[in-house]
Amino acid sequence: MNVAVLAGLFAAVALLPLLPGLVEVRRRADAAPLPIEDAAAPDPRAAGRRLREAVAADRALAAFSTSGRADPGIAARPGTAVVDGDARVAARAPVAALVCDGAAILEEGAEVSALLDAERSITAGRDCLLGESAATGGTLELGRGTRFRRLWGFPVVTVGEAPAVPRVAGPERTIEDEVVWARDRLSLPPGARLDRDAVVRGDVRIGEGCRVGGSVKAHGSIEVLAGARIEGSLIAHRDVRLVGEVEILGNVFAERDVELGPGTTIGAQGGYKTAFAGRRMLLSPGVIVFGAVVAIRGGRVR
Amino acid sequence: MVVTISWAWLAFVAVIMVVYAVRHLVLTGGRLLARQRPTLDEILDSELRPLSVLVPMHNEGAVAARILDRLTASDYPKDRLEVVVIDDHSDDTTPETLSRYASEHPFIHPLHRRAGVRGKPAGLNDALAVASHEHTLVFDADYEPSGELIRGLAAAFHDPEVGAVMGRVVPKNTDVNLLTRLLDLERSGGYQVDQQQRESFRLVPQYGGTVGGFRSPIVRGWGGFDPRVLAEDTDATFQLAIRGWRIAYSNRAECYEEVPHTWDGRFRQLRRWARGHTQVLARRVVPVLRSRYLTVPQKLDSLLVLGIYLVPPLLLSGLVANVILFLGGAAVVVTTTVLGLLVVAYTSVGTSAPFFQIGAAGLIDGSHQRLLLVPLLTPMYFFNTCAIGLGFLDAIGDYLRRRTPAWDKTRRLRETA
């Protein structure tokens, strides 16, 4: 009898951890498949469109919307602004979100903390804040000292005269069939030509006036000197530094910081590419990016 | 002598178990606490690369239309897409379905195989011979790929070091029965934590062959998939890694699949996986250790991944050693007590380590209720041990008899409905 009781007790204790699961099997409270985000192509302007729709549907939000040409009026009241035409945010004025159908102009020090979306163009003066995302169907012009996280424009440009970057052009050399994979570091001498992809376990330095016909991947950092042209993408586990007057036809992706020097161009007219920094990004005057600029921990215009 | 060997073997098994437990815990801790590296699917690029999509099918009449509907409905530009659907000796409605879709959509090309070896590796090789693009994606017939998924997988190829990419598999038929719910938990832990953290730690994530892709010239370069290997995906993973190519895992490239819904189907699937995996272990363990491209942590993790299906047979052999020690009178009271405490410690931290992965995955996915089922995985552990043990013996039999294993397709829910 005692043995039977003990055995029963043992079975009860052993089954105890299974009880919640058995209850869940019966109740099926969480039996549906995990949701998968099955969206169409990522659209950097989706947030702006959603805000327009939300304002159209919600009267409380509509109270913040403005028709016609908006002047510093919208800047006097921090909040959400949806404007039918052009919009202007006064100097050092704060706005949470601004969506307009025309051109958006931010005067010096204006701050958009969350979202900025303009149909025609965006012009940000000196030391503006572009919050989480700024996107436009046209040119996105950034003044010096402007801070940002995600930008989208055709193109994204930094204003100011690009300082001249000294260049030393050398004779064109071909290193095809010599270095594709390197264990330590790769340094292309000035004027060198590499006609295919390169994968390097260390740092990469691409000399002045070099031509790279493919993409470059570095487990360390990548530095590209003046006058170089990369037809593929640059991908680095650490930093990417483009000294200036560099032309990248592909994407730039760094898990850490990105620095785009004066006169740098990423992408080309008619398409879009991405400049991505896993941490911070620093843009110099005279930078042009056709497409997206993303800095996860924030970016700044020098 | 026998007692000494038993002690030594028991100690060896214990060390191996501890190593695996530590691996599980490190991956889980890393997934929960460490910063995840940004991945290339952040890139927006107007130049979408041309892709060949291969879909192997053997008697997939129940699901063929669904995946073709998904591919035709995807917003990936059709002039950049070539879908090669491999009709591998089907004798159901699959050929008619493929012909109908091919007549309506010029980018769909059926490949009817009626001769040669049947099986996924052989089918993929034939498809690779006709596929015209450098980058190839592969989906199993029961998967449901979207345009976003295709873009997400293809983004990995921006990196010239990436030889293959794998997406996340999410079971769709979770609400069918207890088995499908438990398999859902296993998949969550395997992908959301194990694969993702191997990616984040720059180890060697596994190319799973069901929702992923690779650079065709590399695979063609080593002669294609070996039809004698049941786990052609695992074999491809290590062939790539040995040659210095990286395997990328994209956690955001998610795709629904249908998991086995019968215990018999699951048993056969697991037995086949263990058999194929053991084949790969025998072939690739030395090249992995000798590869000059793999780092020490990558080699260590690759060894543990290659040997993962040896764990159940090892545990069984440890039990046998225990019994021998007991019968030989070696397990006296003190040592038995110490061993007992070690067993308790191991079952708390070691055996349960995969469960920690599943728990972490549930937390990250924001799906908490289903975690109540985790204790029910304990009986399943013994079920898995039996299937894997038999698969291991199959592999030994294959080796001894110089036998080529036959392909055994997992039956779909819709086939049996």
Side-chain angles (χ1 to χ4, degrees):
Chain A
M1 182 61 185
N2 282 345
V3 173
V5 170
L6 280 173
L9 278 174
F10 176 78
V13 171
L15 287 174
L16 207 56
L18 307 182
L19 273 181
L22 294 172
V23 171
E24 168 57 21
V25 169
R26 189 171 172 77
R27 288 178 50 200
R28 306 164 73 85
D30 193 9
L34 289 173
I36 283 181
E37 197 175 321
D38 196 13
D43 180 1
R45 300 197 59 199
R49 257 191 289 281
R50 278 199 299 274
L51 183 59
R52 285 184 175 88
E53 289 164 10
V55 167
D58 190 321
R59 287 184 178 185
L61 277 173
F64 291 101
S65 71
T66 314
S67 291
R69 187 176 179 82
D71 252 357
I74 60 165
R77 181 172 45 198
T80 302
V82 175
V83 182
D84 287 340
D86 296 343
R88 178 181 295 273
V89 181
R92 284 172 288 284
V95 178
L98 168 61
V99 173
C100 76
D101 293 338
I105 297 169
L106 279 67
E107 293 178 356
E108 186 177 330
E111 294 190 349
V112 181
S113 57
L115 169 72
L116 173 59
D117 187 282
E119 205 61 50
R120 210 169 73 218
S121 65
I122 295 174
T123 306
R126 282 186 77 105
D127 300 321
C128 287
L129 173 68
L130 297 185
E132 293 300 317
S133 164
T136 174
T139 304
L140 199 169
E141 196 175 293
L142 303 170
R144 290 194 169 199
T146 296
R147 290 156 293 151
F148 59 87
R149 276 190 196 278
R150 291 179 181 266
L151 306 175
W152 176 256
F154 293 93
V156 176
V157 295
T158 53
V159 296
E161 195 171 326
V165 179
R167 298 171 60 171
V168 182
E172 199 170 82
R173 292 186 297 274
T174 300
I175 59 167
E176 187 181 356
D177 298 324
E178 287 185 34
V179 177
V180 174
W181 186 88
R183 181 175 290 279
D184 298 323
R185 74 189 301 271
L186 174 71
S187 182
L188 296 185
R193 186 185 177 96
L194 181 68
D195 282 333
R196 50 178 164 158
D197 297 341
V199 175
V200 182
R201 292 281 169 100
D203 295 338
V204 172
R205 180 185 163 96
I206 297 174
E208 291 166 328
C210 284
R211 298 283 180 274
V212 178
S215 296
V216 178
K217 157 80 177 285
H219 290 200
S221 298
I222 298 177
E223 183 182 40
V224 185
L225 301 187
R229 176 187 160 95
I230 317 289
E231 291 176 15
S233 297
L234 296 179
I235 295 165
H237 285 180
R238 302 183 75 166
D239 308 328
V240 171
R241 179 169 176 259
L242 310 182
V243 170
E245 292 184 23
V246 172
E247 187 181 6
I248 312 287
L249 297 183
N251 303 284
V252 172
F253 182 94
E255 292 187 15
R256 294 193 185 181
D257 299 339
V258 170
E259 182 181 339
L260 304 184
T264 295
T265 304
I266 297 175
Q269 194 77 45
Y272 56 85
K273 298 288 174 183
T274 300
F276 177 93
R279 293 188 182 178
R280 302 192 177 282
M281 187 176 299
L282 183 62
L283 306 184
S284 297
V287 167
I288 301 175
V289 179
F290 292 91
V293 178
V294 181
I296 295 299
R297 295 194 190 174
R300 190 171 65 81
V301 181
R302 201 196 297 264
Chain B
M1 179 67 177
V2 173
V3 168
T4 309
I5 292 173
S6 297
W7 271 120
W9 186 251
L10 199 58
F12 171 71
V13 171
V15 168
I16 297 292
M17 295 303 118
V18 169
V19 169
Y20 272 103
V22 168
R23 176 182 182 272
H24 282 304
L25 293 173
V26 167
L27 290 178
T28 307
R31 183 69 181 96
L32 285 173
L33 304 172
R35 172 180 170 266
Q36 300 296 301
R37 292 191 298 111
T39 49
L40 292 170
D41 50 17
E42 295 275 1
I43 288 178
L44 299 174
D45 192 330
S46 56
E47 280 181 70
L48 297 174
R49 67 187 72 240
L51 294 169
S52 296
V53 176
L54 313 185
V55 187
M57 292 188 178
H58 169 69
N59 288 340
E60 300 285 8
V63 295
R66 189 176 50 175
I67 185 170
L68 293 175
D69 282 339
R70 295 287 291 181
L71 287 168
T72 52
S74 84
D75 58 355
Y76 204 87
K78 301 303 179 293
D79 60 344
R80 314 246 90 192
L81 209 58
E82 165 195 63
V83 178
V84 181
V85 198
I86 308 154
D87 160 25
D88 194 8
H89 299 79
S90 297
D91 52 15
D92 67 345
T93 58
T94 304
E96 291 77 41
T97 305
L98 302 194
S99 300
R100 178 159 52 85
Y101 276 85
S103 65
E104 292 167 6
H105 305 281
F107 68 99
I108 294 179
H109 309 290
L111 174 67
H112 299 288
R113 298 185 75 235
R114 292 293 174 268
V117 184
R118 189 174 78 73
K120 191 172 174 181
L124 289 175
N125 287 339
D126 284 0
L128 276 177
V130 299
S132 50
H133 299 311
E134 182 187 342
H135 298 93
T136 297
L137 300 185
V138 178
F139 297 113
D140 269 6
D142 58 320
Y143 282 55
E144 300 181 17
S146 64
E148 181 60 15
L149 170 77
I150 293 170
R151 255 190 305 277
L153 290 172
F157 293 119
H158 285 299
D159 182 347
E161 193 180 15
V162 166
V165 57
M166 180 66 192
R168 181 181 176 184
V169 173
V170 180
K172 188 169 190 186
N173 55 335
T174 48
D175 57 351
V176 172
N177 55 34
L178 177 61
L179 173 63
T180 59
R181 296 196 68 182
L182 294 179
L183 290 178
D184 175 49
L185 291 177
E186 283 193 357
R187 295 284 199 277
S188 291
Y191 285 95
Q192 179 64 276
V193 173
D194 200 283
Q195 287 267 59
Q196 169 60 26
Q197 201 51 39
R198 280 152 73 190
E199 165 73 22
S200 209
F201 279 163
R202 303 192 205 283
L203 299 174
V204 183
Q206 203 165 339
Y207 166 67
T210 52
V211 47
F214 50 82
R215 292 181 199 263
S216 316
I218 306 173
V219 176
R220 287 196 198 104
W222 73 57
F225 297 100
D226 189 338
R228 294 168 300 175
V229 177
L230 282 179
E232 89 292 339
D233 43 8
T234 308
D235 195 44
T237 300
F238 292 103
Q239 292 247 47
L240 289 163
I242 288 161
R243 289 169 167 81
W245 294 97
R246 197 170 84 74
I247 293 93
Y249 172 67
S250 179
N251 200 42
R252 280 194 280 188
E254 298 172 305
C255 191
Y256 280 127
E257 68 151 351
E258 212 176 69
V259 290
H261 63 288
T262 64
W263 290 95
D264 175 54
R266 173 60 179 166
F267 193 90
R268 287 157 62 126
Q269 184 187 55
L270 208 49
R271 185 173 174 175
R272 188 184 75 223
W273 286 355
R275 188 178 187 175
H277 209 88
T278 308
Q279 278 183 306
V280 178
L281 167 72
R283 286 166 165 236
R284 306 294 167 211
V285 68
V286 174
V288 161
L289 290 175
R290 294 179 62 178
S291 171
R292 73 187 188 99
Y293 298 105
L294 292 169
T295 62
V296 172
Q298 286 173 335
K299 285 182 181 181
L300 181 61
D301 189 58
S302 297
L303 275 185
L304 293 175
V305 170
L306 278 169
I308 199 113
Y309 283 100
L310 291 184
V311 171
L314 270 178
L315 269 177
L316 286 174
S317 68
L319 273 178
V320 171
N322 252 329
V323 170
I324 291 171
L325 287 173
F326 178 76
L327 293 178
V332 293
V333 176
V334 175
T335 48
T336 308
T337 308
V338 172
L339 275 177
L341 289 172
L342 284 174
V343 167
V344 170
Y346 177 67
T347 46
S348 304
V349 183
T351 315
S352 302
F355 298 171
F356 292 161
Q357 283 197 346
I358 291 166
L363 285 176
I364 296 165
D365 285 329
S367 174
H368 303 159
Q369 282 291 111
R370 68 187 64 201
L371 294 181
L372 295 173
L373 300 177
V374 166
L376 295 176
L377 286 165
T378 308
M380 195 163 162
Y381 183 78
F382 296 104
F383 172 85
N384 291 354
T385 299
C386 294
I388 292 169
L390 285 176
F392 175 73
L393 292 177
D394 289 338
I396 301 291
D398 293 338
Y399 179 75
L400 294 176
R401 296 181 191 176
R402 300 280 184 266
R403 179 176 64 188
T404 300
W407 189 264
D408 178 29
K409 183 177 96 76
T410 305
R411 284 171 67 81
R412 314 281 180 221
L413 176 63
R414 291 176 186 213
E415 291 175 78
T416 54

